[in-house]
Amino acid sequence: AGCKTLQGSKPYRQFADTGRAGVIRIRYLSCHQHEACILRSKADDCTHVGIAGPFGDIKLEAKSAPSLPNTRNAMMNAGRDIASEVKEGDVICIEQDNEVHPWVLGKVIREMTFITQQDIDENVDWFSMFEPGDWVIMIRKCVQRQAGSNLYRVSELETWHHIENIRLKLTNKDFSEVERRRSSR
């Protein structure tokens, strides 16, 4: 990622970091006359403002979004961020460590919470890898209406999933409405 060209910046000669993200301090001429300007520690105290000009703070605009690393840790952190915004009734996509079904869609029925031993005993399959205290979310799994279909329905199957495996929260604009019709027969 970079930033867009600062329009009208050609006459400026001094650029300094303000310590704030995306904001720089500029002025027409550089001052090399005293220590405050040379070290840029207290450039506001410059006694040569009449010669070098006043400072101005400029906000830079991003050219594009920064590219995030596509590491497992970055994806886990993104899953945690999504989980913190998810509410009951939202539809999410979860990545699974499963060659046959690597993705699952589901409607959230319990928001992000710690799983307890009681939850594990009552609601978790024997092969699941949960420990008391894991951050989890419970969904009602969406299944295809028929093999090869792109239409899904919410099933009665309720499953726990680690929040780190959430990859996407779907919104209304991700879905198209399906009109139900009755046969005239």
Side-chain angles (χ1 to χ4, degrees):
C3 65
K4 294 181 180 177
T5 302
L6 181 59
Q7 296 297 322
S9 65
K10 190 170 184 166
Y12 291 98
R13 297 291 179 258
Q14 185 171 0
F15 298 85
D17 186 6
T18 61
R20 293 179 289 160
V23 178
I24 60 171
R25 181 162 289 160
I26 62 173
R27 70 174 173 179
Y28 288 107
L29 296 174
S30 297
C31 174
H32 302 288
Q33 302 298 316
H34 63 287
E35 197 172 323
C37 282
I38 294 169
L39 298 177
R40 294 187 180 138
S41 57
K42 295 194 183 265
D44 290 334
D45 297 338
C46 180
T47 57
H48 298 99
V49 173
I51 299 168
F55 280 102
D57 287 353
I58 301 294
K59 179 143 181 68
L60 300 175
E61 295 179 35
K63 228 191 311 191
S64 61
S67 59
L68 298 174
N70 196 15
T71 63
R72 186 72 185 158
N73 192 47
M75 290 191 298
M76 288 171 59
N77 288 334
R80 288 183 192 112
D81 292 343
I82 294 169
S84 67
E85 298 172 2
V86 168
K87 304 286 181 229
E88 283 186 30
D90 288 342
V91 177
I92 58 175
C93 180
I94 299 170
E95 183 179 10
Q96 300 184 117
D97 189 16
N98 182 323
E99 290 181 18
V100 178
H101 300 286
W103 302 97
V104 64
L105 292 177
K107 185 174 183 179
V108 176
I109 56 174
R110 279 186 64 186
E111 296 176 20
M112 181 174 72
T113 186
F114 286 116
I115 196 165
T116 65
Q117 187 61 51
Q118 181 180 352
D119 291 328
I120 293 171
D121 294 341
E122 293 175 2
N123 301 312
V124 177
D125 298 337
W126 65 271
F127 55 85
S128 297
M129 302 175 81
F130 294 102
E131 294 180 9
D134 286 350
W135 280 103
V136 294
I137 198 162
M138 184 181 262
I139 64 165
R140 189 165 283 146
K141 188 176 178 182
C142 296
V143 295
Q144 288 179 316
R145 289 194 174 268
Q146 60 187 356
S149 173
N150 62 354
L151 297 176
Y152 288 80
R153 67 176 174 78
V154 178
S155 72
E156 296 301 315
L157 179 62
E158 297 176 353
T159 58
W160 290 103
H161 293 274
H162 287 103
I163 63 169
E164 292 88 358
N165 296 331
I166 298 172
R167 297 293 174 255
L168 181 67
K169 175 185 168 189
L170 298 158
T171 63
N172 286 340
K173 62 183 173 185
D174 294 319
F175 300 100
S176 59
E177 284 198 32
V178 176
E179 183 179 329
R180 289 188 179 230
R181 296 183 186 177
R182 291 196 143 174
S183 173
S184 61
R185 296 181 200 195

